[in-house]
Amino acid sequence: MNDKARLTTPHGETELPIHEGTMGPAAIGIDRLYRELHYLTYDPGFVSTAACKSAITFIDGEQGVLLYRGYPIEQLAEQSSFLEVAYLLLYGELPTQSQLDEFSDIITHHTMLNENLRDFFRGFYHDAHPMAIMVGVVGSLSAFYHDSLDIHDPRHREIAAHRLIAKMPTIAAASYKHSIGEPFIYPDNSLSYTGNLLKMMFAVPSEPYEVDPVAERALDLIFILHADHEQNASTSTVRVAGSSGANPFACIASGIAALWGPAHGGANEAVLTMLEEIGTPERIPEFIARAKDRKDPFRLMGFGHRVYKNYDPRARIIRKMCHEVLDKLGDANDPLFELALKLEEIALADEYFIERKLYPNVDFYSGIIYRALKIPTKLFTVMFAIARTVGWVAQWMEMIQDPEQRISRPRQLYVGPVQRDYVPIEIRKASEVSS
Ligand code: CMC
């Protein structure tokens, strides 16, 4: 397409190229704007900014559509597995059976941690939040695996990607074991990705442990849903960190830090805390009123999304899963699930939420399933981080290979003091000391 956008400003006029993708809105190219007209663009929160070209994940927020490499999330959730989806996100195509076997084998054989890493866990206080431990330990991987740090070597990048995907469950489980004072459980290469995670979290050396196939599949499915979500806050953080040439372990640690916030991946933990605080359906109106009150910082956690202005397709799948998983695990009458359903019903009928197109997002129901799987609340965001590592790594690899990639260096609209002269302290007045 050769369409152009014409921009008229007090400094003059220019024609801006319009870049068309394969789906979704086109993007007006503004990279020459500063050079030509000496203007910046102003877009706090990047609401209208495409920061990169990407061929990994597509979202249509109006229609509630999510595609990984073109495949609808509903089909992947129904028919695929987490490792197959990981392969798809990393390599762009669904694997053949032998490619999947080889990939699964590689991931399985990278699950061990260097023994010295155990000392890192011991250094954390026993009640440290597991996400705090994850940020530290994942960042420290770059101090151990020097043979996969050359970001310009495709093989190094691939090994680092495999290591990150494989070691994340081991690190997550060790973070949990440390917090409850139990010995770490070594990975078991005979198990599936999620079966192994469950064992490392819940087995003790003195007892035999059987992986529950319902829990194993439920976790695998949740991981598929969380694997990637285009340029969200944590993925953008990984890309920004990576744009400076930082090593992949450091980049993923920065993604974990960004994910932790309650407006992002921390929302799943916050939803459970909120539901427990609400307690009974009678108190729902009180919390809805608080969510609508501009003077109250409280928000309905698990509701709303920057891109989805329709039901989050992942939330729809998880909601259905909740019924199935709770039935199978014997928690069919979980009062928190009943409460969540009621809260959703009341919010979706409320003018405030209708007007703003606020729907349940992926985090609204995921905590209910984690709870049924006996995963402690503090580990909810850690589960998200394990799954999203695949997306972070795929996006990081794509960025490194992008010929248009440059260091991410946003500008600003400066609103501070204009230039002024230094005032010696003896004659400085209180009004000149900024608060
Ligand atoms: N409860 C009450 N009001 C809300 C909520 C909510 N959960 N979310 C948005 N609003 C209101 C907001 O106050 C604003 O109202 P007004 O136009 O009157 O000022 C309007 O809706 C638009 O909200 P926004 O803050 O401009 O939207 P955003 O795109 O900047 O933020 C969000 C998106 C996800 C951060 C926000 O909806 C939110 O804080 N939700 C709760 C936290 C949450 O569930 N996060 C998980 C997101 S999905 C998974 C993930 O990213 O990890």
Side-chain angles (χ1 to χ4, degrees):
M1 282 266 166
N2 294 321
D3 283 350
K4 299 245 188 262
R6 174 160 289 280
L7 181 70
T8 307
T9 77
H11 290 176
E13 278 192 10
T14 189
E15 279 198 338
L16 301 168
I18 296 182
H19 302 285
E20 296 279 352
T22 47
M23 293 174 82
I28 299 175
I30 52 159
D31 53 325
R32 292 196 332 263
L33 192 61
Y34 180 69
R35 225 179 314 137
E36 288 181 6
L37 293 180
H38 228 70
Y39 276 109
L40 300 173
T41 55
Y42 180 60
D43 181 19
F46 311 118
V47 177
S48 299
T49 297
C52 61
K53 289 180 185 163
S54 181
I56 301 175
T57 291
F58 174 78
I59 302 173
D60 181 335
E62 305 300 324
Q63 301 298 322
V65 170
L66 170 60
L67 312 176
Y68 292 165
R69 301 281 189 189
Y71 296 103
I73 192 67
E74 293 79 6
Q75 292 180 21
L76 294 168
E78 182 94 28
Q79 298 172 60
S80 188
S81 66
F82 177 64
L83 281 189
E84 187 178 62
V85 165
Y87 185 99
L88 172 69
L89 290 169
L90 281 179
Y91 298 105
E93 295 297 337
L94 286 168
T96 61
Q97 188 61 55
S98 66
Q99 285 170 329
L100 180 60
D101 291 346
E102 192 192 342
F103 181 66
S104 305
D105 195 61
I106 290 169
I107 298 300
T108 305
H109 287 90
H110 274 105
T111 47
M112 297 262 290
L113 294 177
N114 185 301
E115 279 294 293
N116 292 328
L117 264 167
R118 287 166 166 259
D119 297 336
F120 276 66
F121 290 93
R122 293 206 183 95
F124 284 98
Y125 204 57
H126 69 89
D127 63 353
H129 194 289
M131 285 296 280
I133 301 180
M134 294 282 283
V135 174
V137 174
V138 172
S140 77
L141 293 177
S142 48
F144 288 85
Y145 299 103
H146 302 288
D147 58 343
S148 54
L149 294 185
D150 181 357
I151 62 163
H152 303 295
D153 181 333
R155 184 65 190 131
H156 275 222
R157 293 199 295 267
E158 192 176 34
I159 296 173
H162 292 162
R163 281 188 169 139
L164 277 157
I165 295 166
K167 294 184 198 307
M168 207 57 100
T170 318
I171 296 170
S175 307
Y176 174 54
K177 287 296 196 189
H178 173 75
S179 73
I180 55 170
E182 285 186 6
F184 299 164
I185 302 293
Y186 282 102
D188 178 343
N189 290 354
S190 68
L191 296 176
S192 70
Y193 191 80
T194 50
N196 190 28
L197 171 62
L198 286 165
K199 182 173 174 192
M200 288 190 289
M201 284 196 294
F202 298 127
V204 286
S206 46
E207 301 277 341
Y209 180 84
E210 286 252 336
V211 175
D212 178 342
V214 175
E216 186 182 15
R217 174 61 190 149
L219 208 49
D220 195 82
L221 212 155
I222 292 201
F223 281 7
I224 293 175
L225 302 181
H226 282 90
D228 193 46
H229 213 229
E230 52 120 307
Q231 309 311 318
N232 56 82
S234 57
T235 303
S236 298
T237 303
V238 169
R239 279 186 178 256
V240 170
S243 77
S244 72
N247 74 69
F249 302 107
C251 294
I252 302 306
S254 71
I256 297 172
L259 184 76
W260 193 2
H264 193 9
N268 54 15
E269 183 176 334
V271 169
L272 243 270
T273 311
M274 176 188 76
L275 290 174
E276 278 163 357
E277 206 186 327
I278 298 176
T280 59
E282 297 74 54
R283 293 193 66 203
I284 291 176
E286 181 194 323
F287 281 80
I288 296 269
R290 282 188 60 195
K292 289 157 52 171
D293 181 355
R294 277 173 178 272
K295 286 186 236 107
D296 190 330
F298 173 78
R299 283 188 164 199
L300 215 52
M301 300 314 290
F303 256 77
H305 197 275
R306 169 61 61 77
V307 186
Y308 292 121
K309 301 302 165 199
N310 199 328
Y311 214 101
D312 180 337
R314 303 165 301 171
R316 204 184 291 284
I317 297 169
I318 297 191
R319 189 182 194 272
K320 187 164 158 261
M321 250 178 98
C322 273
H323 286 287
E324 291 165 12
V325 171
L326 296 184
D327 273 351
K328 282 189 193 146
L329 295 177
D331 294 325
N333 300 320
D334 179 354
L336 282 199
F337 183 41
E338 301 291 326
L339 191 64
L341 290 171
K342 193 77 199 152
L343 179 59
E344 178 193 325
E345 187 190 316
I346 294 176
L348 290 185
D350 191 294
E351 204 44 48
Y352 174 95
F353 291 87
I354 296 171
E355 224 174 69
R356 290 167 181 75
K357 300 189 174 163
L358 301 170
Y359 291 86
N361 59 50
V362 69
D363 291 320
F364 192 66
Y365 287 108
S366 59
I368 308 272
I369 296 193
Y370 289 142
R371 214 168 87 97
L373 303 182
K374 310 277 181 283
I375 292 173
T377 314
K378 273 188 170 181
L379 278 182
F380 289 4
T381 312
V382 169
M383 296 297 113
F384 196 155
I386 297 173
R388 185 55 58 84
T389 295
V390 167
W392 291 331
V393 162
Q395 299 266 353
W396 171 80
M397 283 183 142
E398 184 183 63
M399 180 207 64
I400 304 274
Q401 293 169 80
D402 182 351
E404 293 181 2
Q405 189 271 322
R406 303 168 78 181
I407 188 166
S408 291
R409 185 19 178 122
R411 300 298 304 274
Q412 62 174 8
L413 187 62
Y414 177 68
V415 294
V418 294
Q419 183 170 332
R420 50 187 172 161
D421 289 326
Y422 179 83
V423 181
I425 197 158
E426 311 81 60
I427 58 166
R428 205 173 295 158
K429 293 195 205 86
S431 61
E432 280 162 353
V433 180
S434 61
S435 53

